[in-house]
Amino acid sequence: MGLRSGPVPSQGDAWKRTDHSNRSKSVVAFAQRSALTLLAALAFTVFGTIAGFLARAADTNFDGSIRFVWIVTGVALLYCFADMMAVLTAAAHFVLAVESNGQSTALVTGPTGRLNQLVHQIAYAIENPDTELRVQVQRLTISNPSHYYFGDTVNMYGGRGNSGVTHG
């Protein structure tokens, strides 16, 4: 897990860790999306072929529609593959997690040495309430946090698919 500092249990906690992308979840999602897309394309192909056979009219031809379905299927599969590869090739992020006495946790990225220093500074500030600590966070560098496994217990509020509390 890396360096972890928790000076006063009821006051807060600060630690450094490495967050990796959730590669297995991405591969499973790709397999599910691909299977669903291919099944839908096969269903349209079968129904189009049956409809063309039952129509028995020389001017009724579903070949263009079936070709369109397979082109859309190919584009969808390429999109799903690119989405999976974005997660599989994502670099690990070194983060500083700061937890207050409430249920929220803030994540800060940066060079490992600076994060180690911040862990110690935060621990010192929590142990010594008269100490003032100011740190400016420039920007968020993780483009999609749902692709990352954060470990430990994380409380989640709001958002689509919220399950309350997740355990790492």
Side-chain angles (χ1 to χ4, degrees), residues 31-96:
Q32 290 174 340
R33 292 173 185 162
S34 297
L36 183 63
T37 302
L38 288 171
L39 285 174
L42 285 172
F44 277 114
T45 302
V46 168
F47 290 138
T49 303
I50 292 172
F53 178 74
L54 293 177
R56 294 187 192 160
D59 60 343
T60 305
N61 191 352
F62 290 97
D63 289 344
S65 299
I66 293 172
R67 188 175 300 117
F68 175 75
V69 165
W70 283 102
I71 289 171
V72 170
T73 299
V75 170
L77 289 174
L78 282 174
Y79 174 79
C80 292
F81 181 76
D83 188 47
M84 177 188 69
M85 290 307 295
V87 175
L88 292 179
T89 59
H93 293 276
F94 296 105
V95 297
L96 165 67

Side-chain angles (χ1 to χ4, degrees), residues 75-136:
V75 170
L77 289 174
L78 282 174
Y79 174 79
C80 292
F81 181 76
D83 188 47
M84 177 188 69
M85 290 307 295
V87 175
L88 292 179
T89 59
H93 293 276
F94 296 105
V95 297
L96 165 67
V98 180
E99 189 174 85
S100 67
N101 60 351
Q103 296 181 348
S104 60
T105 301
L107 297 177
V108 181
T109 62
T112 305
R114 179 67 177 137
L115 294 180
N116 285 334
Q117 182 184 24
L118 282 173
V119 168
H120 292 294
Q121 289 175 341
I122 291 169
Y124 182 81
I126 292 173
E127 287 177 350
N128 302 289
D130 294 338
T131 304
E132 184 175 318
L133 174 66
R134 290 180 187 227
V135 178
Q136 182 177 355

Side-chain angles (χ1 to χ4, degrees), residues 140-157:
L140 179 65
T141 58
I142 298 175
S143 61
N144 191 347
S146 68
H147 290 157
Y148 289 86
Y149 170 75
F150 295 110
D152 287 349
T153 299
V154 179
N155 289 301
M156 300 177 294
Y157 300 101

